[in-house]
Structure formats: C-alpha cells, structure tokens
Amino acid sequence: MNAQEFATIASAVKAAYPNANIMPDKQSKNVWYTMLSDLDYNVCLTAIKEHMSINKFAPSISEIRQKCSEIVNGLPKDWGAAWAEVLDSIRYKGMYREEEALKEMEPLTRECVKRLGYQNICLTENLEMDRANFRMIYEQVSKQRMQDAQLPIGLQTKKQELRMLSSQVVAALEMGESE
C-alpha cells in the first residue's frame, strides 16, 4: 500500500474511533505505516471494516495484520477435523501405504502426523493419548504458522537469516568441542 492509501486507512480508523489516541503524531503514523505498508490496500481496508463492524475499541497493528492474514490465507481447519483426516487415512490406507497416506494429507496435518509417527499411530494401544498429543502439536504448529504469516516479509526474511546464522554458530561450536 502506498502512503496515500495508508492515509485513507488512518483517517478511517481515527474517524471510527474518535476517543482513541491512535496515531496522535507524525512519528506514530510513521510506525503504523512502516508496519502496514507491505499489506495490500484492499485487504487491509477490508480487515479494518470488519474490525470496525464488530469491535468497540480501535485496532492495534497486530490485530490488523492478523485479520489481513486470515483474509489472505484463511483459517486452518480445527484440530478435530485434522484428526478425523488422520483416522480416515489410517482406515483406508492402512499402515503399509504410509507414503501415499501422508501425500494426501494437508501440509499441517502431515507435519503433525510425522512428529508422532504414522506407524506409531497405526499401531497404538492408546489412541486417546495419541489424539491428545496430536491436538497439542496441531494447535502449537497452527498458532506458530499463523503468527509467522502475520509478519512483514522483511521481518520473516530477517528471522530466517538469524536462525541460519544461529545454527551455523552452534554447528561451529560443536565442531570445536569434538576436536
């Protein structure tokens, strides 16, 4: 979104929430613009309109980014539907067609099943425990993915660079210890 489009959004937020002390000065407007400028104007405007329609209080930057992410990416299916997908896969593919079963799962479900182990779920004697563990993993991974999707692209890139650098430092330290 460009500066003129942001000005329209800022004016709308201020008009809808006149008692809120949002963007009171040029510096705070610059912060807001910096944090929202990577968003598509129409998506952001839709998110703001939705927020105005259902919230009494002014939005924060994170609330706007969250709503924009939900509009663009949609919400993940709930863990119960994902678990049903796992059980159906086991029922119809069995334990011997693991690769085929995993390919047909949604990416988030697949990641969680891999963490638990497809074969382990197939052979479990305590399906309720696996269900509980799946739920915990699914909700954590889903939350992390949604938060990552909210971040500006530049910040996502910076985080990845820092993770890679950190893993390189750890690897170098481990190499030094083994010598």
Side-chain angles (χ1 to χ4, degrees):
M1 122 176 49
N2 62 38
Q4 185 178 358
E5 291 169 336
F6 173 75
T8 302
I9 286 176
S11 295
V13 171
K14 286 182 165 198
Y17 301 101
N19 295 331
N21 192 21
I22 287 198
M23 298 178 259
D25 54 32
K26 187 172 178 79
Q27 187 176 7
S28 62
K29 277 186 183 178
N30 287 338
V31 169
W32 275 71
Y33 179 64
T34 299
M35 293 305 297
L36 299 177
S37 63
D38 66 310
L39 299 174
D40 177 84
Y41 170 71
N42 289 315
V43 172
C44 190
L45 187 60
T46 301
I48 295 289
K49 286 179 179 179
E50 182 175 335
H51 184 90
M52 289 176 186
S53 298
I54 59 178
N55 290 286
K56 296 176 185 176
F57 301 104
S60 65
I61 292 169
S62 65
E63 288 172 319
I64 294 169
R65 292 198 68 86
Q66 178 181 3
K67 187 52 67 184
C68 289
S69 178
E70 289 171 3
I71 291 168
V72 171
N73 301 318
L75 292 171
K77 72 167 74 168
D78 69 69
W79 73 270
W83 180 247
E85 180 183 0
V86 172
L87 295 179
D88 286 344
S89 179
I90 291 170
R91 187 174 300 119
Y92 296 113
K93 302 293 182 201
M95 68 180 279
Y96 298 110
R97 293 167 52 195
E98 177 179 353
E99 189 175 319
E100 184 181 343
L102 290 172
K103 269 186 193 171
E104 292 179 4
M105 291 180 189
E106 290 189 11
L108 179 56
T109 304
R110 181 182 318 116
E111 181 179 339
C112 297
V113 168
K114 283 182 175 182
R115 287 187 184 188
L116 288 171
Y118 184 81
Q119 297 291 324
N120 293 339
I121 298 171
C122 290
L123 298 172
T124 190
E125 292 184 15
N126 191 347
L127 194 59
E128 292 303 311
M129 179 69 78
D130 286 335
R131 177 179 172 265
N133 289 334
F134 177 86
R135 177 182 184 175
M136 184 174 55
I137 293 167
Y138 190 89
E139 288 176 344
Q140 288 173 349
V141 172
S142 176
K143 180 181 178 185
Q144 186 60 52
R145 284 189 178 182
M146 289 185 67
Q147 287 175 343
D148 286 346
Q150 283 178 232
L151 297 176
I153 298 297
L155 191 53
Q156 289 177 19
T157 304
K158 189 67 174 175
K159 275 182 69 174
Q160 288 173 344
E161 290 171 0
L162 291 171
R163 282 185 194 133
M164 287 177 56
L165 181 62
S166 176
S167 64
Q168 290 170 354
V169 168
V170 169
L173 290 173
E174 288 174 350
M175 291 283 291
E177 289 176 3
S178 65
E179 293 176 9

